[in-house]
Amino acid sequence: MPVTRSATRSVSSTPVGGSNVTTTAALSSAVKSSKRKAVEESTTTAKKTPRAKKAKSSDKSAATPLTSDTFIPPPPPPLQNEPGKETLVPAVLTFSFEEAKAHLIRADHRFEDIFIKLKCKPFESLEQVHPFRALVESILGQQISWLAARSIIHRFTRMYDPSLPEKPADYSASKSPTSFFPTPYQVANTDIVTLKSAGLSTRKAEYVKDLAARFADGRLSTENLLAADDENLAEMLIEVRGIGRWTVDMFAIFSLRRPNILPVGDLGVQRGMLRWFLSRHSSKHAFTLSPHKLSGGEPKDDKTKGASTSAMGPPPTTPAPRTTSGSRLTGDVEPDNDVLPTSSESQSQTPASNKLIPALPEPFTPSIDKTLEADAMNTEPLPEGLSVANLKSRLEGKKIKGAFLTPKEMEDLTASWAPYRSIGVYYMWALSEEKN
């Protein structure tokens, strides 16, 4: 029987015989294709993952070891060290100055006349102080003349702000604690070669960077300097390269205005104390200093007399006194000959470590003898081991191990001044020599 067209369509649509096999094969082929595609995608993903890990591992093993020449980007500066964020020492005292004066007058009534004759500037002319700046300038001024130090400090500052005047005098004359000075972070991230271009020796560049790093990372700050007692303050600062006990004492008196500091290493203070206590016990002793015991006079350029660079606080309102070698830095650093003043600057110049200390008193005139002798032949005995005879010999130049007085002798002589030794010490500088 012949097959019709409709019957063919009917057979084709019926799921029997060969037609079913064909359909099943097609479905099987599609499934296999889908599975093959999934497997290929899975394989591709799996291949990518090991390669990524391998590449990462390869990068790690191929890392270049750090050397001294490797540049390491510095971390962002702490907020407190950003320009304008530096905390200043406030213009206040932590004690009553009137009580301090009354205490010293009770200890020795000659102080009453001394207070009338001379103002104690560090403790009466109060201004804010920039501690990082004070310490940097102190380091930069070590072992060189005042004019050389002023020039280097200005060049150092100008590296960070080229808009400053080219001449140091034009800047120094109007400088205040809030005027521009580089931040610790800026200095800490300046290389030695760049610092030396401002006139710093290699050692001083290293010292300044060490100090800056400690301020930048918080080991030193205005807050922890203010919070430390006198001994802890000394411990913190002496850890800094280039800072010794003398610099700490000057910083404590003139920047932090600590009331009970006795700088036992300062020969000027020692000589003033000899005159003070010798006059108290012997009215017959005339105070004189031979010419070789005096360093030269003021700088020849009179316009620079009052332009202190304020290494330890606010600038003086009157010219700084002629200070002798007695007030020079004693043992803070090794002699630094890399930076020398010019021949004209080095003639008759006082050490920069004096000139950079503001508000040192003018020497008293010879009329001060009347005040000193007002308590002559006092019955209070001298400390054990001291007599009028050996005080005279010390003042005439017979030192003990390079000093006029030992630390213990200074402690004993000023025991009645405590806890306000700093105020008495200020006036000893004015007694260390007579004004011409």
Side-chain angles (χ1 to χ4, degrees):
M1 178 178 162
V3 179
T4 63
R5 187 184 298 260
S6 59
T8 304
R9 281 199 289 266
S10 177
V11 170
S12 300
S13 60
T14 303
V16 294
S19 295
N20 186 50
V21 171
T22 303
T23 304
T24 302
L27 288 173
S28 177
S29 176
V31 169
K32 287 180 180 179
S33 176
S34 175
K35 286 183 178 180
R36 191 184 310 116
K37 186 176 181 181
V39 169
E40 286 175 355
E41 289 177 352
S42 176
T43 303
T44 302
T45 303
K47 286 181 180 179
K48 285 182 179 179
T49 303
R51 283 176 186 169
K53 290 182 179 178
K54 185 176 181 180
K56 186 175 182 180
S57 175
S58 174
D59 290 344
K60 185 176 181 180
S61 63
T64 304
L66 292 177
T67 67
S68 58
D69 297 326
T70 303
F71 173 73
I72 302 176
L79 276 179
Q80 65 267 28
N81 291 327
E82 289 181 352
K85 299 291 185 180
E86 191 75 17
T87 304
L88 302 180
V89 176
V92 296
L93 294 180
T94 58
F95 63 97
S96 166
F97 185 66
E98 291 304 315
E99 168 54 30
K101 291 197 297 183
H103 176 88
L104 291 173
I105 291 170
R106 289 194 296 270
D108 190 324
H109 71 79
R110 293 178 298 170
F111 273 116
E112 185 170 12
D113 194 42
I114 291 287
F115 293 139
I116 294 171
K117 290 181 181 294
L118 183 63
K119 191 175 183 179
C120 191
K121 288 181 182 177
F123 299 95
E124 293 188 83
S125 301
L126 305 180
E127 292 188 28
Q128 291 179 313
V129 176
H130 192 305
F132 174 65
R133 177 181 190 160
L135 291 167
V136 167
E137 293 186 352
S138 179
I139 290 173
L140 296 185
Q142 291 171 354
Q143 307 291 337
I144 57 177
S145 77
W146 171 54
L147 290 179
R150 186 182 67 163
S151 175
I152 290 170
I153 291 169
H154 181 67
R155 287 162 62 187
F156 168 81
T157 308
R158 198 167 180 268
M159 279 198 312
Y160 300 94
D161 184 1
S163 68
L164 293 176
E166 290 188 15
K167 294 182 179 180
D170 294 340
Y171 174 60
S172 299
S174 61
K175 191 171 66 171
S176 71
T178 55
S179 62
F180 174 78
F181 198 76
T183 67
Y185 178 80
Q186 287 176 302
V187 178
N189 287 282
T190 304
D191 60 69
I192 297 292
V193 174
T194 302
L195 290 173
K196 290 179 68 175
S197 70
L200 282 69
S201 67
T202 300
R203 280 199 298 276
K204 286 185 179 178
E206 292 170 348
Y207 298 162
V208 167
K209 279 179 66 69
D210 183 33
L211 175 68
R214 291 169 187 269
F215 270 93
D217 65 20
R219 283 175 289 171
L220 290 177
S221 67
T222 302
E223 290 76 13
N224 61 28
L225 291 174
L226 290 173
D229 61 29
D230 295 341
E231 285 309 309
N232 287 335
L233 175 71
E235 289 175 6
M236 283 194 294
L237 292 179
I238 290 174
E239 287 181 358
V240 182
R241 297 181 63 192
I243 292 182
R245 187 64 196 232
W246 186 89
T247 297
V248 172
D249 288 342
M250 297 304 102
F251 178 73
I253 292 173
F254 291 95
S255 291
L256 302 185
R257 296 180 280 266
R258 295 290 175 92
N260 197 38
I261 303 299
L262 181 63
V264 295
D266 192 296
L267 298 180
V269 172
Q270 293 175 17
R271 187 164 44 239
M273 286 178 60
L274 281 176
R275 186 181 183 191
W276 177 263
F277 289 101
L278 182 56
S279 297
R280 183 175 185 176
H281 290 268
S282 175
S283 61
K284 303 299 182 183
H285 179 72
F287 175 78
T288 58
L289 280 177
S290 59
H292 75 272
K293 291 188 176 66
L294 297 175
S295 63
E298 292 284 354
K300 293 181 181 180
D301 182 2
D302 291 337
K303 291 185 292 183
T304 66
K305 282 185 177 181
S308 166
T309 52
S310 303
M312 291 294 174
T317 54
T318 58
R322 284 187 316 162
T323 49
T324 70
S325 59
S327 291
R328 70 181 301 166
L329 183 75
T330 54
D332 279 13
V333 295
E334 299 173 7
D336 191 340
N337 298 318
D338 293 339
V339 182
L340 296 175
T342 64
S343 57
S344 61
E345 287 176 339
S346 62
Q347 294 175 356
S348 300
Q349 295 300 310
T350 58
S353 53
N354 300 318
K355 284 291 193 173
L356 295 176
I357 301 174
L360 275 177
E362 287 270 3
F364 283 120
T365 64
S367 64
I368 194 64
D369 286 336
K370 293 180 180 178
T371 298
L372 297 178
E373 295 169 6
D375 200 27
M377 304 307 294
N378 189 282
T379 55
E380 181 182 339
L382 287 166
E384 185 178 355
L386 288 176
S387 66
V388 170
N390 60 27
L391 287 179
K392 286 182 179 180
S393 67
R394 302 271 189 92
L395 195 55
E396 289 165 359
K398 295 181 180 179
K399 300 178 183 177
I400 299 177
K401 296 182 179 180
F404 293 106
L405 292 165
T406 67
K408 185 178 187 310
E409 288 170 344
M410 294 178 74
E411 291 278 351
D412 292 343
L413 285 169
T414 62
S416 62
W417 296 4
Y420 302 111
R421 285 187 172 103
S422 298
I423 290 87
V425 161
Y426 179 78
Y427 292 102
M428 297 304 104
W429 272 305
L431 288 172
S432 64
E433 60 178 274
E434 290 184 353
K435 188 175 183 179
N436 292 337

